[in-house]
């Protein structure tokens, strides 16, 4: 490559610019860029909150308080953000893909976590059915487990196994 860097958002920015796909970063205008970073920040905060407890030996004890204090309030904001939209800022962006992954992980923990969020469930299904995503999910390259990496303390049966 041209150079080495490790921040995930920096990598996404770089790849999108190299591929002439800045639309995935909300780059239609100044407002859409601001909206992208706003929703990406919200989604990433929720993802970070969950990752923080995944590696904790007290995961089971910490889960419900984290859901109540952080995850459900954040999901309610994103549910409202999706009212009248297919994607978080209108067109599909990297933030939608990060949200898809978070929703997938939450469904692995407990499908009931998402039952009160029809817009989020619809977005999850919409992203899952993007032809390239659907093809990847059916391929041998797709690895459902482990979530994040093999030293993760949380494990459960796959919701797709039941």
């Amino acid at each position: 490559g041209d150079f080495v860097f490790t921040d995930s958002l920096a990598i996404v920015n770089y790849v999108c610019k190299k591929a002439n796909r800045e639309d995935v970063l909300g780059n239609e205008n100044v407002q859409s860029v601001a909206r992208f970073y706003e929703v990406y920040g919200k989604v990433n905060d929720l993802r970070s909150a969950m990752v923080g407890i995944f590696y904790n030996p007290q995961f089971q004890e910490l889960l419900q308080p984290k859901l109540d204090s952080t995850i459900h309030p954040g999901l309610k904001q994103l549910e409202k953000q999706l009212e009248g939209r297919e994607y978080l800022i209108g067109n599909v962006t990297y933030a939608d893909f990060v949200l898809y992954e978070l929703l997938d992980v939450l469904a692995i923990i407990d499908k009931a976590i998402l039952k009160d969020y029809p817009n989020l469930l619809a977005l999850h299904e919409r992203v899952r059915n993007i032809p390239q995503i659907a093809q990847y999910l059916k391929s041998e390259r797709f690895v459902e487990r482990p979530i994040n990496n093999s030293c993760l303390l949380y494990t459960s049966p796959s919701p797709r196994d039941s």
Side-chain angles (χ1 to χ4, degrees):
D2 299 346
F3 54 94
V4 176
F5 53 111
T6 57
D7 178 75
S8 59
L9 190 55
I11 293 167
V12 168
N13 269 283
Y14 180 79
V15 169
C16 288
K17 288 176 192 255
K18 290 284 272 189
N20 291 319
R21 288 300 313 267
E22 292 182 66
D23 58 306
V24 178
L25 302 171
N27 283 357
E28 292 177 25
N29 56 51
V30 174
Q31 285 181 330
S32 67
V33 171
R35 286 193 201 321
F36 165 77
Y37 282 104
E38 177 183 41
V39 297
Y40 172 76
K42 287 178 185 177
V43 172
N44 199 48
D45 288 348
L46 293 176
R47 185 183 177 285
S48 295
M50 287 307 299
V51 169
I53 66 168
F54 279 146
Y55 296 93
N56 191 308
Q58 284 83 39
F59 173 81
Q60 293 298 335
E61 296 82 35
L62 296 172
L63 177 60
Q64 195 59 53
K66 182 63 71 177
L67 290 171
D68 294 342
S69 69
T70 306
I71 304 304
H72 283 299
L75 292 177
K76 286 177 186 169
Q77 287 180 350
L78 294 169
E79 176 75 9
K80 186 173 174 75
Q81 175 87 24
L82 280 166
E83 287 178 2
R85 296 185 172 126
E86 289 190 1
Y87 298 103
L88 289 167
I89 67 168
N91 59 302
V92 67
T93 68
Y94 177 64
D96 297 293
F97 296 124
V98 176
L99 178 56
Y100 166 84
E101 180 200 22
L102 173 64
L103 297 174
D104 213 43
V105 169
L106 291 172
I108 289 169
I109 294 169
D110 183 354
K111 288 185 228 179
I113 291 171
L114 302 175
K115 70 179 173 44
D116 295 327
Y117 306 105
N119 293 330
L120 291 172
L121 288 168
L123 176 130
H124 184 266
E125 195 64 24
R126 203 172 290 117
V127 170
R128 183 177 203 75
N129 287 315
I130 292 172
Q132 296 90 331
I133 303 287
Q135 182 179 3
Y136 169 72
L137 292 173
K138 292 175 187 167
S139 76
E140 291 180 13
R141 294 183 344 220
F142 174 63
V143 178
E144 185 176 45
R145 296 283 195 298
I147 300 169
N148 280 357
N149 66 48
S150 59
C151 70
L152 184 72
L153 294 173
Y154 172 75
T155 59
S156 79
S158 168
R160 293 177 253 307
D161 293 340
S162 55

